[in-house]
Amino acid sequence: MKILVINAGSSSLKYQLIDMETEEVLAKGLCERIGIDGHLKHSPLVGGKPIFNEDLPLPTHSEAIAAVIDKLTSAEYGVVSSMSEIDAVGHRVVHGGEKFASSVKIDDAVMAALEECTPFAPLHNPANITGINACRAVMGDVPMVAVFDTAFHQTMPGKAYMYAVPYEYYQNDGIRRYGFHGTSHRYVSSRCAELMGKPIEELKLISCHMGNGSSICAIDHGKCVDTSMGFTPLVGLPMGTRCGDLDAGVIQFLMNKYGYSIDEMLNILNKKSGVLGVSGVSSDFRDLDAAASQGNDRARLALDMFHYWVAKVAGSYVAAMNGVDAIIYTAGVGENSKETRAAISSYFGYLGVAIDPEANSKRGEDIMISTPDSKVKVFVIPTNEELVIARDTRDIVS
Ligand code: ADP
């Protein structure tokens, strides 16, 4: 069975074609500047075929999907002989609200329910829906599945997901913590259990997804019990450009003082804050590491804040679960920055965590970076959201 995994953004569309017999990625690619001019980078990963990397007109997502199918099936760049070899499509959808606690086969009723979730993710869900509609138009009745970033977090208890505002905002408007990166937290936590050789139902895990966007998740006996992102992905940890937790009074103060509209204010908090805002250097942790090592104090402060917040939130999840068996680092920063992992782990002395510097300096593999006698184990596990989407799609369509 071959499954096409699609992650559609407002002007971009990422894809992978995965062979489920071997879980091998046959091809992957990215359409960019959809609706502007258009560019497709398509990389076949089997058969020694060349990479296609050219501008081509992509006025809408439908042309983008058609271009992807064309490349996947072409003699020169293709990895399958015709579209009929693609058995199903799995779509990443950001927000499933309280309607979707697991992945679901897409039909007209699901599409209507997705539209109802749109107010919760006004930037992301419409793009995901556009991607699904384009795929349905181009690929006809190939079965499709929606996999939600929020679904894994639907097991949180009320005490973790409620905000302490008048209850009717929850009841009438769905105002609550939803959490994001659920597919990633789900993948790395189940992989961690495999690596530990124990059923996930016996483990207390803390997963730290640290990329451009970052979130932490407490996974107690296989179920998410708390996570740091909230109603939107803005809160929790300071991120590349997002502010993380912030006193709402600051918003009122700055809007009054500088006359910002709410959109301008949120743009600052989403795009100009986080480690970029504090450092004034970059949102990229590689740039921050370089600047800090050259004596840039604000880059150092931004990194220190990030490490401190990860440690602080993770510590609160140790309290929430009354213990922890393993801590997982994943995503761009978690997978690549040994300095970040070491700095965060240095806060976990009270848990009996000891890091093996040699293991911590390895890259690109699932690895335990704590010493064999560390009381709490620490793992680096490269995340693989596409594989989770493909597996869910296979399980639901077969
Ligand atoms: P996204 O949240 O967009 O999916 P990723 O998980 O790919 O992002 O993470 C991207 C981030 O990973 C980059 O912005 C950069 O800060 C960080 N990163 C990548 N490689 C390294 C590295 N070698 N050292 C430190 N940080 C890195």
Side-chain angles (χ1 to χ4, degrees), residues 14 181 209-213 283-286 289 331-333 336-337 339-340 363 385:
K14 282 191 225 160
H181 293 142
H209 177 111
M210 306 183 290
N212 274 320
S283 63
D284 192 302
F285 282 68
R286 287 164 287 202
D289 282 335
V333 181
N336 294 302
S337 174
E339 294 82 7
T340 302
R363 262 168 93 161
E385 289 158 283

Side-chain angles (χ1 to χ4, degrees), residues 136-210:
R136 292 178 98 196
V138 173
M139 301 184 71
D141 51 12
V142 175
M144 303 201 187
V145 167
V147 180
F148 302 92
D149 274 20
T150 49
F152 183 61
H153 303 301
Q154 279 295 306
T155 49
M156 278 189 285
K159 64 184 177 184
Y161 71 68
M162 285 298 292
Y163 290 127
V165 295
Y167 192 76
E168 54 266 30
Y169 294 126
Y170 168 65
Q171 235 173 355
N172 301 336
D173 305 303
I175 302 299
R176 51 160 284 178
R177 180 187 305 281
Y178 288 99
F180 299 87
H181 293 142
T183 315
S184 174
H185 291 301
R186 192 174 127 207
Y187 173 78
V188 297
S189 58
S190 81
R191 186 79 191 105
C192 181
E194 272 172 35
L195 294 170
M196 293 177 81
K198 290 192 176 153
I200 197 164
E201 293 76 19
E202 289 175 14
L203 292 169
K204 297 174 182 181
L205 304 173
I206 293 175
S207 147
C208 307
H209 177 111
M210 306 183 290

Side-chain angles (χ1 to χ4, degrees), residues 262-344:
I262 188 67
D263 286 345
E264 286 169 330
M265 189 72 242
L266 279 175
N267 190 49
I268 293 169
L269 299 179
N270 269 303
K271 304 266 173 68
K272 299 183 176 166
S273 298
V275 292
L276 167 68
V278 173
S279 68
V281 171
S282 173
S283 63
D284 192 302
F285 282 68
R286 287 164 287 202
D287 300 336
L288 293 174
D289 282 335
S293 63
Q294 286 162 11
N296 184 313
D297 289 339
R298 276 171 54 190
R300 180 77 268 150
L301 174 64
L303 288 169
D304 287 348
M305 283 175 68
F306 182 77
H307 304 151
Y308 175 73
W309 268 91
V310 174
K312 177 164 111 166
V313 174
S316 72
Y317 293 165
V318 177
M321 295 192 289
N322 188 24
V324 61
D325 297 300
I327 295 167
I328 308 155
Y329 298 128
T330 192
V333 181
E335 291 166 29
N336 294 302
S337 174
K338 62 175 190 241
E339 294 82 7
T340 302
R341 297 192 295 260
I344 295 167

Side-chain angles (χ1 to χ4, degrees), residues 205-232:
L205 304 173
I206 293 175
S207 147
C208 307
H209 177 111
M210 306 183 290
N212 274 320
S214 296
S215 71
I216 309 194
C217 184
I219 302 134
D220 195 356
H221 298 87
K223 292 195 162 41
C224 166
V225 292
D226 208 344
T227 191
S228 60
M229 283 179 167
F231 180 70
T232 72

Side-chain angles (χ1 to χ4, degrees), residues 13 31 33-37 57-66 130 134:
L13 187 146
C31 300
R33 301 178 61 84
I34 300 170
I36 306 164
D37 36 27
L58 300 174
T60 72
H61 285 68
S62 292
E63 285 82 2
I65 296 280
T130 304

